[in-house]
Amino acid sequence: MPSSAQTRLYSAPVDGSIPAAKQKYVPTSGTYPKGFLVSGTHVGVKPSNTRFPDLALITSEIPASAAAVFTQNIFQAAPVTVSRNTLQKTGGEGIRSIIINSGCANAVTGKGGLEDATSMASSLDNNLPPPTPNSTLVMSTGVIGQRLPIQKILSAIPTAISSLSPTHTSWLTTARSICTTDTFPKLLSTTFTLPSSPSTTYSLAGMTKGAGMIHPNMATLLSILCTDAPISPQTLHTLLTHATDRSFNAISIDGSTSTNDTLAILANGAAGGPPITSPTSQDGLAMQQVLTAFTQRLSQLVVRDGEGATKFVRVRIVNSPSFPDTKKIASTIARDPLVKTALYGKDANWGRILCAIGYTPNLSSPDTVIPSKTSVSFVPTDGSEILKLVVNGEPEAVDEGRAAQILLEEDLEILVDLGGGRGGEGREEGSYWFCDFSHEYVTINGDYRT
C-alpha cells in the first residue's frame, strides 16, 4: 500500500478540521495588544491547497521596536537572510509588519529566493499606508528547495491588507494560515502590569507553528509575538534571548533544526507608560518574567502537536553544577530515539534514560554526572507519589504495574537528580519538553512532499 494511503491516527485530517483531542488547546477568546491588526488569506501557495489561508499579515498601526532570533542551520532560508538584514539596517526601530507564507519554505533557492523574499517585504512596505521602506520582516515555511509562486503571493497582498482586523477571529485565522503539518492553530494571549505603571494593563499575544523538524538551536519553526508595552529594541532583544533559551530552545520533536526557524517580537508601546530601556530595571525584570512564562506556554503547544505524538513529556534536571550542562543533558534525553520509542510503547525502560545521560556530549566537566549520585524518577501528573527508578545509581524494585499505569497518561515528567555533581553543591536546574516517537511520525514524514 502506498504510504500516502496509510491511515493516520494523530495527524491533521485532510478536511482541515481540528482533532477532538486538540480542541482544548484552541482559545475561544483572547485579549490582544492595542494597535495591532492581523489577517489570514488564501493564496494557494501549494496547488493542492484550494481553500485554506496560507498568507499571514501582522501589522502595527504605529512603528514598533522589533527583535528576533534565527536558525543556526548553515543552509539558512532566504526570508531569514532578508529579515536579519532588515533588523541590522534599522537597529530594530520603526518595524511595522511581518508577512508570512506557508506551503513553501523558500529555502535553498539561490538568488531568486532572496529576490522573492525581498519583494514580499517591499510589497507590503509600499502597499500599507503610509509607504515605509525597511519596515517589514518576512517568513516562510513549507517544502525546502522550491521557488515561491511569487506573483500569486504579491497579487494577494492588497486583499490581505483589506482584511486586517484586531478581532479574535482574525488572530485565530492568522495563526492557522502559518500552519503546515500542524493539527491545530497555536495562539495565546495574556495581560499583565508593570511596576512603574500598576494601573496600566498591557497585553501580549503570540502565535507559533511547528509539528516536525523541531529541535531548535534558537527558537521554533516560526513564532510571532506582539505586545503594546513600550520596550527599546536593545532591551527587547535581551529579553527575547533569555526567554527563548528557557522555552523555544528547550523543546524537541525529532532532533532536527530547520532552515527557516525564526522567532520575532514587536513592541509598539500603544498602551502607554514609560519605556523599558534596561533589562535589569524593575520593569525590565518584570517583563522578563512575563515573557519567559508566556514563551514557555506557547512553545509547549508545539510539543503537544508533535507529528505523530501520543505523549507530552517534561524532563527536569535538578541539583546540577551547571545550567548549560543541565540543558545539554535534558536535550540529549529529549532527542534519544530509544527513550522516545520506549515512551510510545509505554515501557518504563529507565536504562535508556540513564544511558542518554551518560553519553551526553561536551559537558563542561567530567564531575557534572557522578553515577553514584544520579537518581531518576517518574513524576505522575495527577499529584500522586513519584515512582523512583534509580536512586544514587542503584536500581529500585520498580512496581511495573504502577509504571505502566503512569505511562498510560498523555502527560509525564521525568525527574533527574544529579546530586550536585562531584562536590555535591550544585543547585542549578532546568527543563526540556519533548514527545514520543510513533509509527505515525514515519508515515507523515515518509510522504511529506506528496
Side-chain angles (χ1 to χ4, degrees):
M1 184 192 312
S3 61
S4 60
Q6 294 180 23
T7 301
R8 294 182 175 182
L9 302 177
Y10 309 109
S11 54
V14 294
D15 63 359
S17 62
I18 299 170
K22 305 293 180 71
Q23 289 281 358
K24 59 188 175 184
Y25 303 121
V26 181
T28 56
S29 62
T31 304
Y32 299 101
K34 297 179 179 66
F36 283 96
L37 305 172
V38 298
S39 70
T41 303
H42 172 256
V43 173
V45 173
K46 288 182 74 170
S48 58
N49 176 16
T50 59
R51 59 193 181 95
F52 299 117
D54 53 0
L55 181 67
L57 300 188
I58 299 96
T59 186
S60 173
E61 295 178 300
I62 56 178
S65 297
V69 285
F70 300 98
T71 182
Q72 293 182 26
N73 192 303
I74 292 174
F75 292 97
Q76 298 188 355
V80 170
T81 299
V82 170
S83 293
R84 181 187 281 113
N85 290 343
T86 297
L87 289 174
Q88 289 174 345
K89 286 179 186 177
T90 61
E93 296 181 346
I95 302 299
R96 295 181 60 202
S97 305
I98 300 173
I99 184 170
I100 310 152
N101 76 271
S102 62
C104 177
N106 191 11
V108 197
T109 46
K111 293 181 180 179
L114 290 170
E115 292 171 357
D116 290 344
T118 300
S119 65
M120 284 175 64
S122 60
S123 179
L124 191 55
D125 286 344
N126 295 329
N127 280 280
L128 195 67
T132 310
N134 297 315
S135 66
T136 297
L137 305 181
V138 60
M139 304 180 191
S140 297
T141 181
V143 176
I144 295 171
Q146 297 180 2
R147 288 286 299 275
L148 290 169
I150 191 62
Q151 290 306 318
K152 290 174 69 175
I153 293 173
L154 297 181
S155 297
I157 287 177
T159 300
I161 291 174
S162 68
S163 302
L164 287 167
S165 167
T167 66
H168 170 71
T169 298
S170 291
W171 278 88
L172 196 58
T173 301
T174 305
R176 186 152 198 165
S177 68
I178 65 175
C179 292
T180 51
T181 59
D182 308 62
T183 67
F184 67 95
K186 301 164 185 66
L187 174 68
L188 290 177
S189 63
T190 191
T191 59
F192 60 96
T193 59
L194 294 171
S196 67
S197 311
S199 61
T200 302
T201 298
Y202 296 101
S203 296
L204 172 63
M207 64 183 72
T208 190
K209 68 84 51 189
M213 198 176 279
I214 305 291
H215 184 76
N217 204 11
M218 40 59 62
T220 189
L221 203 60
L222 294 183
S223 189
I224 304 94
L225 307 173
C226 300
T227 182
D228 50 18
I231 311 172
S232 70
Q234 296 79 11
T235 298
L236 195 61
H237 188 269
T238 300
L239 298 179
L240 182 65
T241 301
H242 180 278
T244 299
D245 200 37
R246 289 154 180 80
S247 58
F248 285 104
N249 252 359
I251 61 171
S252 184
I253 302 298
D254 47 23
S256 294
T257 299
S258 170
T259 54
N260 290 56
D261 296 344
T262 303
L263 168 57
I265 183 170
L266 300 180
N268 66 5
I276 303 174
T277 57
S278 169
T280 58
S281 66
Q282 194 176 21
D283 280 356
L285 293 173
M287 189 69 218
Q288 184 69 86
Q289 290 184 337
V290 170
L291 188 60
T292 300
F294 185 83
T295 52
Q296 285 180 341
R297 289 173 56 209
L298 190 60
S299 65
Q300 288 167 27
L301 292 178
V302 176
V303 180
R304 291 200 177 276
D305 200 23
E307 290 175 343
T310 70
K311 291 278 185 289
F312 174 82
V313 188
R314 176 190 185 188
V315 56
R316 185 160 63 98
I317 313 294
V318 299
N319 295 321
S320 169
S322 159
F323 178 72
D325 284 351
T326 297
K327 289 288 295 293
K328 290 175 184 176
I329 293 168
S331 171
T332 302
I333 296 170
R335 71 173 185 269
D336 186 284
L338 294 180
V339 171
K340 294 162 76 72
T341 50
L343 293 173
Y344 172 63
K346 304 176 182 62
D347 179 8
N349 193 339
W350 54 263
R352 294 181 176 182
I353 300 170
L354 213 62
C355 183
I357 297 169
Y359 77 72
T360 301
N362 303 317
L363 293 177
S364 63
S365 168
D367 293 338
T368 296
V369 178
I370 306 300
S372 61
K373 291 188 173 185
T374 302
S375 302
V376 178
S377 304
F378 284 163
V379 181
T381 55
D382 61 5
S384 60
E385 185 178 359
I386 69 172
L387 179 64
K388 296 180 180 180
L389 306 172
V390 180
V391 177
N392 293 327
E394 297 288 338
E396 292 287 285
V398 177
D399 182 340
E400 294 291 345
R402 182 158 185 262
Q405 198 65 36
I406 292 172
L407 290 172
L408 283 175
E409 300 299 321
E410 179 182 347
D411 288 18
L412 171 70
E413 178 179 314
I414 298 171
L415 176 63
V416 177
D417 189 335
L418 297 180
R422 178 75 66 186
E425 298 177 353
R427 293 292 181 267
E428 294 291 340
E429 69 173 86
S431 294
Y432 226 89
W433 293 269
F434 69 103
C435 61
D436 56 344
F437 260 158
S438 69
H439 300 85
E440 181 83 356
Y441 177 83
V442 178
T443 300
I444 292 170
N445 284 282
D447 64 5
Y448 178 67
R449 292 207 310 162
T450 54

